[in-house]
Amino acid sequence: MLLGALEAGGTKMVCAVGDETGTIYDRISIPTSTPEKNMPELTAYFQQYDIKALGIGTFGPADLHPASPTYGCITTTPKPGWQNFNLMGEFQKALHIPIGFDTDVNAAVLGEAVFGCMKDISTGIYITIGTGVGVGVMVNRQLLHGMLHPEGGHILLARNPADSYKGFCPYHENCLEGLAAGPAIEGRYGQKAVTLKDIPEVWELEAEYIAKALVNYILVLSPERIVLGGGVMHQEQLFPLIRQKTTAYLNGYLTTKQLEDMNNYIVPPSLNDNQGILGCLQLALDAL
Ligand code: ADP
Ligand code: ZN
């Protein structure tokens, strides 16, 4: 059975066609511009196939509540043209099939939960550290929505006293995203993050902020596994630093078998950066 998947991101839209086993048959990626430009391209792509349902994982904030009059809409994004845009509704009009709708990071956690490294656990989180920071949360095998959906990139952190970079989040001076997403590294050091690979203090500070955030997520959500993805996490030297600092900040307060096995607790994505699109396939299946 063919299913459609759309990962709607701030920089690119990834569309794919696959099936319920997680096999992907075709995929395209188009740059995110305006709905006027993107929507005809996106619907035309899916209309080529006999897909039975579509799953959308979108950048946010978005309305995920089926009973809400604005269900399926992107809401307050600063992205020009996308404010209050009825993303799901436009696909419903064009495709007339069931549609699943969630955030991009919830799709990623779902992908790992069904096809990857969270198969064996019930509560876990997926964090992307890229252009922004997003946190997808699965609790007892359900994706967490709550009031809106988690916006874990914007939790406030204790700043390193020696860090004078003011942060790039327009809302918060010291949130995780503003201090530690890719643009923060670039703003602090004046060059692309990837070119700073061999400067240890860059990654010490980056790991400090990420570990501080993880401690908060661990204490509040009690995840059994934490997956860290996104462009910045391609710097693999971050993983051991983050594991050490997370252990240090927890300071022995919790003793669990998971925290004793940090290499299997704080992990990279297991699905070759397909976790988001596979999660969208599962959203499609769940919508059927
Ligand atoms: P997006 O968040 O737009 O989906 P990415 O997850 O690739 O895309 O994140 C892009 C950000 O990650 C940019 O700020 C970029 O500088 C940073 N980035 C991408 N690749 C690397 C890398 N190999 N090392 C460090 N930073 C990276
Ligand atoms: Zn913020």
Side-chain angles (χ1 to χ4, degrees), residues 153-156 168-178:
H154 294 267
I155 61 168
L156 306 183
F168 79 93
C169 175
Y171 298 92
H172 316 112
E173 274 181 13
N174 58 328
C175 70
L176 172 63
E177 176 169 303

Side-chain angles (χ1 to χ4, degrees), residues 82-93:
W82 294 96
Q83 292 99 346
N84 304 312
F85 181 72
N86 190 351
L87 183 61
M88 181 172 153
E90 290 297 311
F91 282 108
Q92 268 163 342
K93 270 194 240 162

Side-chain angles (χ1 to χ4, degrees), residues 25-196:
Y25 299 110
D26 187 56
R27 146 188 352 228
I28 59 163
S29 173
I30 57 178
T32 303
S33 59
T34 60
E36 291 68 32
K37 168 132 189 358
N38 284 152
M39 287 309 295
E41 307 171 310
L42 297 173
T43 50
Y45 174 77
F46 290 115
Q47 279 165 339
Q48 301 173 88
Y49 298 93
D50 182 26
I51 57 173
K52 300 299 180 209
L54 173 66
I56 302 174
T58 182
F59 67 90
D63 187 340
L64 309 180
H65 287 285
S68 160
T70 52
Y71 175 49
C73 294
I74 312 269
T75 58
T76 53
T77 175
K79 278 215 142 290
W82 294 96
Q83 292 99 346
N84 304 312
F85 181 72
N86 190 351
L87 183 61
M88 181 172 153
E90 290 297 311
F91 282 108
Q92 268 163 342
K93 270 194 240 162
L95 302 175
H96 310 288
I97 51 175
I99 299 181
F101 187 72
D102 215 309
T103 62
D104 47 3
V105 275
N106 267 354
V109 92
L110 182 62
E112 291 288 356
V114 175
F115 300 105
C117 71
M118 294 202 198
K119 272 185 196 165
D120 57 334
I121 64 164
S122 68
T123 295
I125 62 180
Y126 179 94
I127 306 168
T128 180
I129 302 167
T131 308
V133 177
V135 182
V137 182
M138 173 179 75
V139 177
N140 300 333
R141 299 298 291 180
Q142 299 287 318
L143 298 177
L144 181 62
H145 293 165
M147 173 183 72
L148 174 76
H149 46 72
E151 275 287 346
H154 294 267
I155 61 168
L156 306 183
L157 299 178
R159 179 183 274 284
N160 180 303
D163 180 19
S164 60
Y165 175 66
K166 65 183 184 344
F168 79 93
C169 175
Y171 298 92
H172 316 112
E173 274 181 13
N174 58 328
C175 70
L176 172 63
E177 176 169 303
L179 293 174
I185 301 173
E186 288 158 19
R188 184 179 289 115
Y189 301 102
Q191 55 193 94
K192 287 266 170 217
V194 70
T195 65
L196 297 161

Side-chain angles (χ1 to χ4, degrees), residues 162-239:
D163 180 19
S164 60
Y165 175 66
K166 65 183 184 344
F168 79 93
C169 175
Y171 298 92
H172 316 112
E173 274 181 13
N174 58 328
C175 70
L176 172 63
E177 176 169 303
L179 293 174
I185 301 173
E186 288 158 19
R188 184 179 289 115
Y189 301 102
Q191 55 193 94
K192 287 266 170 217
V194 70
T195 65
L196 297 161
K197 187 172 182 30
D198 298 322
I199 305 177
E201 69 249 34
V202 172
W203 309 107
E204 283 286 336
L205 183 63
E206 183 68 11
E208 174 182 325
Y209 288 137
I210 295 169
K212 283 176 173 168
L214 295 195
V215 167
N216 290 327
Y217 306 140
I218 291 166
L219 294 171
V220 174
L221 295 165
S222 207
E224 297 162 84
R225 185 159 290 131
I226 297 174
V227 178
L228 292 174
V232 171
M233 291 310 304
H234 290 142
Q235 296 295 323
E236 288 173 8
Q237 71 276 22
L238 279 170
F239 280 93

